[in-house]
Amino acid sequence: MQTAVARPSARGVVGRTRSRAGLVVRASKDTCRVAVLGASGYTGAEVVRLSALHPNISITALTGEKQAGKPFAEVFPHLVAASNVGPLVKISDVEFADVDAVFCCLPHATTQQIIKGLPKHLKIVDLSADFRLRDVDTYAEWYGNEHAAPELQKTAVYGLTELARDDIKKARLVANPGCYPTTVQIPLVPLLEGGMISKDDIIIDAKSGVSGAGRAAKESNLYVEIAEGINAYGVSSHRHMPEIEQGLSDAAGADVKVSFTPHLMCMSRGMQSTMYVKLAGGATPDSLRAALSERYASEPFVRVLPKGSVPHTRHVRGSNFCLIGVFPDRLPGRAIVICVIDNLVKGASGQAMQNLNLVMGFPETTGLMQLAMFP
Amino acid sequence: MQTAVARPSARGVVGRTRSRAGLVVRASKDTCRVAVLGASGYTGAEVVRLSALHPNISITALTGEKQAGKPFAEVFPHLVAASNVGPLVKISDVEFADVDAVFCCLPHATTQQIIKGLPKHLKIVDLSADFRLRDVDTYAEWYGNEHAAPELQKTAVYGLTELARDDIKKARLVANPGCYPTTVQIPLVPLLEGGMISKDDIIIDAKSGVSGAGRAAKESNLYVEIAEGINAYGVSSHRHMPEIEQGLSDAAGADVKVSFTPHLMCMSRGMQSTMYVKLAGGATPDSLRAALSERYASEPFVRVLPKGSVPHTRHVRGSNFCLIGVFPDRLPGRAIVICVIDNLVKGASGQAMQNLNLVMGFPETTGLMQLAMFP
Amino acid sequence: MQTAVARPSARGVVGRTRSRAGLVVRASKDTCRVAVLGASGYTGAEVVRLSALHPNISITALTGEKQAGKPFAEVFPHLVAASNVGPLVKISDVEFADVDAVFCCLPHATTQQIIKGLPKHLKIVDLSADFRLRDVDTYAEWYGNEHAAPELQKTAVYGLTELARDDIKKARLVANPGCYPTTVQIPLVPLLEGGMISKDDIIIDAKSGVSGAGRAAKESNLYVEIAEGINAYGVSSHRHMPEIEQGLSDAAGADVKVSFTPHLMCMSRGMQSTMYVKLAGGATPDSLRAALSERYASEPFVRVLPKGSVPHTRHVRGSNFCLIGVFPDRLPGRAIVICVIDNLVKGASGQAMQNLNLVMGFPETTGLMQLAMFP
Amino acid sequence: MQTAVARPSARGVVGRTRSRAGLVVRASKDTCRVAVLGASGYTGAEVVRLSALHPNISITALTGEKQAGKPFAEVFPHLVAASNVGPLVKISDVEFADVDAVFCCLPHATTQQIIKGLPKHLKIVDLSADFRLRDVDTYAEWYGNEHAAPELQKTAVYGLTELARDDIKKARLVANPGCYPTTVQIPLVPLLEGGMISKDDIIIDAKSGVSGAGRAAKESNLYVEIAEGINAYGVSSHRHMPEIEQGLSDAAGADVKVSFTPHLMCMSRGMQSTMYVKLAGGATPDSLRAALSERYASEPFVRVLPKGSVPHTRHVRGSNFCLIGVFPDRLPGRAIVICVIDNLVKGASGQAMQNLNLVMGFPETTGLMQLAMFP
């Protein structure tokens, strides 16, 4: 189907059938050679999945300290078709001279240590929390360790693409946003900037799929512990809170605190934030919707639904899209804003790819035009 | 295991092995002969499941207009062991002279018509919405039809057991509460009565399993439409809203309006309401928890969890229990109250059984001491 | 509802409301005082759940080496109502003089060591694999360690209740069967005994829920690794194979080997074996069904479905029932036999309870008459 | 990431941002203008999803008789980004002069009527069962109606791509295979052709996700009826049986009958066939695996896994890949073959796209190189 983005010419497949659908890793003029650090987790795997449809990315290294030496398709058999991707290696064994850019999918704290030691020619999109908070004291308070790279922190650009596109284009180090903060800031930042909602009465009830918890083997994330249920967690204490507040405070031009209650539910992918806001400056639910529609009219990945339409997490599964709905509240002077994304795509690896596209000068949607998978 | 309630002596099984585990339906002095009207839906089936552990209930009729004549175990094969229960019959074919009490599991509107025609000797627990709203105009506004039995409505007792026990004992017609209203009123009524929370700032974000939608074949409830996802529905327009507001208004002694956003998620059973409330009268999150703990200290089915414990819907699956947690909010002067139940048990058939026990003079917990099924 | 088993008189609840629905642990003439060894796993939790409806069982000790000291309701919050059950203790701290019987839910190998050291007055139902295989060499071959209690092994009775009831009644040590072997032997043993199927052409394709894998934190059992999928595992090498073959060989009076392929699928509970058999001795699918129906006519927990009815795992969820269907195969001279159980109930803790009832002289169905939970 | 197929140059997106990611429908030299008949079902939606990544397909009409007039994104909100696709229309309103090819996703029986009336210039890939069976008497026997287009039937090519590539290239009407038959024929046809397995002892135990049942509202496919369970259905009577037997008979050069038992389980997408076969001609499990590996060595979508690797349905979710594993059986002289696909992709719309590519002369993998989505 023809879309606004050009798509595969499909030439070449004949001449290379001997390599089947395998992924060829090779550098060239239009190619960005990428290393994925921490590729044994779900965000790493998702970067590889998305890269498979990206014509300008060549993955030249996948790292995994504990599983170094294992074929990638053994770690993630669903990527069996990515047969030309090499085995996992240790970070210390990566030949960074052959790398142009890095997706960093490592845990926080470790991330700082690794990134500050990387060669300066590398562009970096970091999916951890390490460079998201401008204030290193806030970082230390919420993450429990002093920041090990405060100077580097100052150079990082917070990568909520739709809200910081121009800065991202010039960045060397992009701090890719958290999934919850993405669902909150995309709808609420324009409303706060426009003075359309009160900064003092923002209540966020969020629901997440389990993939956000990562691949570490924990009893609480076993199938039978999660299936057919929901529970709140980290009530008033989740680490994405300061990130949300940083973004909303910038938008409001004043200190914002939010009520934020995340819930873990029995789905693999998907995230919804249901936000209860107080109208300000004469705004109405309809005017909120209109303002968001206008703000995001030319955005490829953000869709504001028409009045009455409810976004479902199922409608964005596997895609980089973000859907927003605005509803009147029964309580006078209030509105309800709902935002859904796929936590692994727009909430992590998809937005990371979107950011890398900007950093490298590729069209922003390259490799990201997959539609949602339903059912 | 010995519990506070006596349990099966298990005598008798030997002498009756020819009937295996089948359900014997027979009247006697200590026995309440029950008809289940509308037994082809999930709440009807759940009444039968719970009755199997109830020593004083004999089911003498199961009705289903469309499926009359079918063996019940064909309609609900999981109740195969209930082999002595007869086939579904039409309501018009029930011999009500042999019935002491009725669980009415019919759709609203139909319910009024049927109940007003029932013989006067029958005790009735109605699981529909038809007799829950005292104000028949409010009923007409939200349900779209004039109330057909306004006189009967005046005699109905709203059956939130823990809040209306004494009235229920004397009732002929109990209007069994809706599932959402149960999760809201159990925690919030005492807090409003005590003046501990503001009546003007109650925000309820609720999550429900799909069984609440009933067994009717609808595209939107197909497995693949529901699996691995969540969505809001009926935003600011769900029919349980006036029921919630009626109960909270009574408690506050003044008109209460609430923000109420239900969500449908991929689980069969379970319901959680996450409630965002504003503290009043010097209350704190800890004092809310203490007040609820004291209020429900002697209740068999309501448990207020200790500080820091989070209720999960999984912890009440299949049981009549209701778990409550109270948490501080990051926004000053606010608190978060979480309540979970199984929507088919405490939210429907279990509470109905609890109410019938009261009406008939049986100990309230009879037949209801099953613990939650996990995993 | 009245059933063939007497059920709670429900007296007593009034006089004890201060202890709410809590479980009182106390010894008396008709009471079996039980210790659950290894109570921090799913089978242990299920024993506690079932015991709550058993009038003759008092749980006096729950052990968990790693979590000793923790309140049980912290380890299994769904058993919050079992409030009078004490915290987990170490096995070495159990006062076995106050214990009449033991459910042993420990891992294999460990189990032998523990059981051989238990006081002789204890009755034991062991849920591990340690005492199921008569031949200790076969045990060593499949489980990788020499049997540490070969003498004790000789005294153990294999506890497939319906097939060994009289021996179980006299046993001190019951080796509770594996879940897969239960689904295979219940239908196939009578057919082999009757010479109605060939012993040389038995193909078993089994599907299991994930709870059978236990509560240990393993990457492969995480929600997102399991959700929305199925896979074979242990193809031709699953440890339940020799147990199946032992039982079928006994029935056939000759050495039987089977083809056995288990599958792990995205459900918490439930197990189905689809068995492809070759007819022998003039048997037909209808005569197989008739033979099984007759064999199990007076069994409380085994139901042979009528021609054309298909058993679903959902129909036995949470119950001790076992449903069997027999179907003609398109290949001439063959039939298909389907058997479903709940792997945690009839496949583990429920059958264990059934066996303890026999050992202790209680009616066999005591505490086990819960119907399946659907939806 | 560079692959063997060229991928989007991503040029053009800048100049067309006003249309965002919307789908532009326009005819040109390299473009195949496609109508999707019956686009309101899951296979229709999947065709649209896949087309979005296909540079040579322009969807010019989507039909839905009952929902004609509705915007497509209202019927399938997950395709919200396909904003340039018009509303559903009636088939009688399609301007076929502007159409080059048709995906026909209509129900059987109806399909014959429609296709025989279509203009002759159209290429057709039919996803129904209507043209799969060469023998119209067999069709009538299994589908219950006389075939209405027997002459057209003779011209249809059965489109199991890997097995009939050359014929498909020349076809006007491709009968796209059923999902189950795809999983069976890909592995077994080469083995039968090579005389490596017996034609008289093929037992197929298949497991399917629910999307195969379509979007029609049926009680038996409701979420709560399906969740957390599995059941056999259509035992020995499923309509895919004659299709399987036709393909296997062709391969064996003799009449083949199979034992085929499909199961419905709680997943949306995915299909596994576990096949129990008898070795012939001196074959071993290893030689079967080697033969299949060689047969499919240059196929882009079929992967034979190395010894010991087990295919999971999760590994192909959302992709057109087919994974095969071969295992020794414990029964001597037998082997177990496992094949997994996504029933909506390789089992339906993906294979249909693969076939259209061949028919239209596009490289076969165009639009189909999406990797599996996991988790």
Side-chain angles (χ1 to χ4, degrees), chain D residues 199-221:
Chain D
K199 73 171 186 54
D200 297 321
D201 197 348
I202 296 172
I203 294 170
I204 304 159
D205 188 291
K207 298 90 178 167
S208 176
V210 191
S211 57
R215 209 183 198 189
K218 285 190 213 162
E219 179 187 292
S220 58
N221 293 333

Side-chain angles (χ1 to χ4, degrees), chain A residues 142-157:
Chain A
W142 286 83
Y143 287 88
N145 57 288
E146 288 303 305
H147 204 289
E151 290 309 309
L152 203 53
Q153 168 58 53
K154 290 174 189 162
T155 73
V157 172

Side-chain angles (χ1 to χ4, degrees), chain B residues 354-370:
Chain B
Q354 196 179 352
N355 286 329
L356 188 73
N357 284 338
L358 291 177
V359 168
M360 301 304 297
F362 302 136
E364 186 176 326
T365 59
T366 316
L368 292 170
M369 293 312 297
Q370 297 186 52

Side-chain angles (χ1 to χ4, degrees), chain D residues 53-321:
Chain D
L53 293 170
H54 197 302
N56 309 111
I57 287 184
S58 286
I59 292 181
T60 53
L62 297 166
T63 83
E65 301 305 299
K66 290 182 193 156
Q67 309 201 61
K70 268 199 196 173
F72 191 59
E74 189 176 306
V75 179
F76 285 116
H78 71 292
L79 298 172
V80 63
S83 53
N84 289 21
V85 170
L88 290 174
V89 299
K90 286 175 186 276
I91 293 175
S92 57
D93 291 337
V94 176
E95 183 53 77
F96 283 110
D98 297 339
V99 173
D100 302 308
V102 160
F103 286 113
C104 191
C105 305
L106 297 166
H108 68 87
T110 300
T111 296
Q112 303 160 20
Q113 303 289 353
I114 296 296
I115 289 184
K116 77 176 178 183
L118 289 178
K120 300 305 175 213
H121 75 279
L122 294 173
K123 307 287 190 181
I124 302 163
V125 180
D126 175 31
L127 285 83
S128 86
D130 268 11
F131 295 96
R132 293 176 191 160
L133 298 176
R134 277 197 306 270
D135 187 312
V136 292
D137 292 339
T138 304
Y139 176 85
E141 177 193 343
W142 286 84
Y143 288 88
N145 57 288
E146 287 303 304
H147 204 289
E151 289 309 308
L152 204 53
Q153 168 59 53
K154 290 174 190 162
T155 72
V157 173
Y158 183 73
L160 216 159
T161 324
E162 286 76 10
L163 302 177
R165 185 171 279 121
D166 291 340
D167 290 340
I168 295 165
K169 285 178 182 170
K170 295 173 284 189
R172 180 196 165 228
L173 169 57
V174 178
N176 211 56
C179 44
Y180 288 120
T182 296
T183 63
V184 173
Q185 293 175 83
I186 289 180
L188 296 196
V189 160
L191 301 181
L192 283 167
E193 286 177 347
M196 302 180 80
I197 60 171
S198 165
K199 73 171 186 54
D200 297 321
D201 197 348
I202 296 172
I203 294 170
I204 304 159
D205 188 291
K207 298 90 178 167
S208 176
V210 191
S211 57
R215 209 183 198 189
K218 285 190 213 162
E219 179 187 292
S220 58
N221 293 333
L222 291 175
Y223 180 84
V224 304
E225 302 280 331
I226 292 290
E228 292 280 310
I230 187 168
N231 62 281
Y233 70 104
V235 185
S236 299
S237 62
H238 193 281
R239 283 167 167 173
H240 281 180
M241 190 125 56
E243 183 183 340
I244 291 170
E245 293 179 348
Q246 170 181 277
L248 299 190
S249 296
D250 286 356
D255 198 43
V256 172
K257 294 253 176 295
V258 298
S259 171
F260 173 57
T261 305
H263 295 75
L264 190 65
M265 58 171 281
C266 51
M267 65 182 174
S268 291
R269 290 169 179 251
M271 176 164 284
Q272 172 169 335
S273 285
T274 314
M275 291 163 274
Y276 301 91
V277 296
K278 192 171 179 178
L279 299 166
T284 65
D286 287 342
S287 71
L288 297 192
R289 191 185 308 106
L292 289 170
S293 294
E294 193 185 333
R295 173 68 182 78
Y296 293 118
S298 62
E299 287 295 340
F301 296 118
V302 180
R303 303 291 162 115
V304 181
L305 300 189
K307 191 171 183 168
S309 278
V310 178
H312 293 208
T313 60
R314 302 161 193 96
H315 300 162
V316 296
R317 185 161 51 205
S319 83
N320 200 48
F321 289 94

Side-chain angles (χ1 to χ4, degrees), chain B residues 306, chain C residues 62 67-77 79 82-83 85-89:
Chain C
L62 297 166
Q67 309 202 60
K70 269 200 194 172
F72 192 58
E74 189 176 305
V75 178
F76 285 116
L79 297 173
S83 53
V85 170
L88 290 174
V89 297

